[in-house]
Amino acid sequence: QMKEGMETKLADATSAENSAASSFNALKSSLLAEIDSQNKQVEDDTNDLTATRVHLENAKHDKDTTTAARDADTEFLADLEKQCSSADAEYNARVKDRNTELEALSAALGILTSDAARDLFHASLGFTQVSQRTSASAAKQARRQAVAFLQTSAGKANSAALLSLMVSVKMDSFTKVKKAMDEMMEELKAQNDEDLAKKESCEEEIDVNEDNAKEANVQRKKLENKISDLETTIDDLTAAINAAEKEIDEAQTSVKRVGEDRAAENKEFQQTVADQRATTKILKFALSKLEEVYGKYGFVQEPAAGEA
């Protein structure tokens, strides 16, 4: 019975050892698989982190480039606005003087194109027939009025052209004076158109540069947001890598610990087996000695039929 009990205990211990070994192998495989998975995740996250850092550097470079362009546009715009402001003042002054000249020309032309004035000019060219409606004194008065008006207007507009025209009104024929007035009027209108075109071009350039500066600001803001997002991504990836590496360390520690536990269990089992075998051997030896001694006297009981 003692032998049978020991054999039963040995069988139970062997079964427990096999079950523990199977569980250990399953747990070890699971931990190693987890380690492989985490290593793969670390590798992927590290690649993503490297790529993100490259994107971040590119975004920072783009931001610096955009900022430099924006600053250059802003500086150019400030200079342009200053120049255009000065040009506007000059343009307004020129327009004012030309308008004064044009008004003087129109008024003087109105005076000189009166019937009395025409008769006077015709008389100076040798035409003796003078309209009965206008006297020579009235014609002379018209000439004087035109000269006086031109002289006053020339002073207001600081216009050498009006002074020259004033002399022409005094000295020249109506036809020559009329031609000079028409030419001067056309020249003044052309100058006004040219100045207006320059003013509009300056204003258009200001608008374009303002739009460029605004677009640069918008682009700079987008790049700042992109940089912020990339920095957040880098922080997240770094945290994920650190967490994965920590899990790998923990899993490796678990593998080591369960291996040590399994080794201790197996050592205990091997010791149990050794003890059982030693005990069994001693028992067999003792049994053989007893059989040898008592067998001589017929004291050894034969096993009953059917007993093991």
Side-chain angles (χ1 to χ4, degrees):
Q1 291 180 350
M2 182 182 294
K3 179 182 177 183
E4 291 176 355
M6 293 183 65
E7 289 176 347
T8 299
K9 289 181 180 179
L10 180 60
D12 291 342
T14 301
S15 176
E17 168 66 12
N18 291 336
S19 177
S22 178
S23 298
F24 166 75
N25 290 331
L27 178 59
K28 181 178 179 180
S29 297
S30 175
L31 289 172
L32 291 176
E34 182 181 351
I35 290 173
D36 289 340
S37 175
Q38 292 297 336
N39 281 327
K40 181 62 169 60
Q41 186 63 50
V42 168
E43 181 180 356
D44 292 343
D45 287 345
T46 301
N47 292 334
D48 290 343
L49 182 60
T50 301
T52 303
R53 283 173 174 163
V54 171
H55 292 323
L56 178 61
E57 291 304 314
N58 290 337
K60 287 181 176 180
H61 178 268
D62 291 343
K63 178 193 171 186
D64 291 341
T65 301
T66 302
T67 300
R70 190 275 315 267
D71 292 343
D73 286 342
T74 301
E75 182 178 357
F76 178 77
L77 180 61
D79 292 339
L80 184 62
E81 288 177 339
K82 183 178 180 180
Q83 294 173 9
C84 287
S85 176
S86 176
D88 281 346
E90 294 173 1
Y91 167 79
N92 292 332
R94 287 195 299 271
V95 168
K96 182 179 179 181
D97 290 343
R98 289 199 193 102
N99 287 338
T100 300
E101 291 176 325
L102 288 170
E103 290 172 2
L105 282 173
S106 297
L109 189 59
I111 294 172
L112 295 176
T113 54
S114 65
D115 291 340
R118 280 198 302 271
D119 288 343
L120 177 59
F121 282 115
H122 289 171
S124 68
L125 292 173
F127 295 98
T128 56
Q129 295 180 354
V130 179
S131 174
Q132 294 178 355
R133 293 177 299 168
T134 306
S135 64
S137 61
K140 290 179 182 180
Q141 180 64 27
R143 182 189 283 268
R144 284 194 297 269
Q145 288 178 356
V147 169
F149 191 83
L150 288 172
Q151 185 175 14
T152 302
S153 298
K156 290 180 179 179
N158 194 25
S159 172
L162 287 180
L163 288 174
S164 177
L165 185 61
M166 178 193 71
V167 174
S168 178
V169 171
K170 284 182 179 181
M171 305 295 297
D172 296 331
S173 66
F174 176 79
T175 301
K176 188 174 181 180
V177 171
K178 178 68 165 58
K179 182 181 179 182
M181 285 185 168
D182 289 341
E183 290 176 352
M184 184 176 176
M185 190 169 292
E186 289 302 318
E187 183 180 355
L188 290 172
K189 289 180 179 179
Q191 290 175 357
N192 271 347
D193 290 341
E194 183 180 354
D195 277 348
L196 179 60
K198 289 180 180 179
K199 180 176 182 294
E200 290 175 346
S201 176
C202 194
E203 291 173 347
E204 182 179 352
E205 194 168 358
I206 287 177
D207 289 341
V208 170
N209 277 274
E210 285 179 344
D211 290 341
N212 289 340
K214 289 178 182 177
E215 178 60 27
N217 280 329
V218 171
Q219 185 64 21
R220 183 173 181 272
K221 184 63 178 177
K222 289 181 179 179
L223 288 170
E224 287 177 346
N225 292 337
K226 182 178 181 180
I227 288 172
S228 178
D229 291 341
L230 288 171
E231 288 175 341
T232 299
T233 300
I234 287 175
D235 291 341
D236 292 343
L237 287 171
T238 301
I241 290 172
N242 291 335
E245 289 177 342
K246 182 179 179 181
E247 290 182 8
I248 290 172
D249 290 341
E250 291 175 351
Q252 289 175 338
T253 300
S254 296
V255 169
K256 182 180 178 181
R257 185 170 55 251
V258 296
E260 292 172 349
D261 292 344
R262 179 69 196 114
E265 290 174 353
N266 182 258
K267 183 178 180 180
E268 182 180 353
F269 168 72
Q270 295 298 333
Q271 185 62 46
T272 300
V273 170
D275 292 345
Q276 292 286 347
R277 286 175 178 172
T279 302
T280 300
K281 184 177 180 180
I282 292 171
L283 289 175
K284 285 183 178 179
F285 179 77
L287 180 60
S288 65
K289 288 298 181 180
L290 289 172
E291 288 176 347
E292 181 180 340
V293 172
Y294 291 104
K296 294 178 181 181
Y297 303 101
F299 293 153
V300 178
Q301 184 178 355
E302 295 295 332
E307 289 185 357

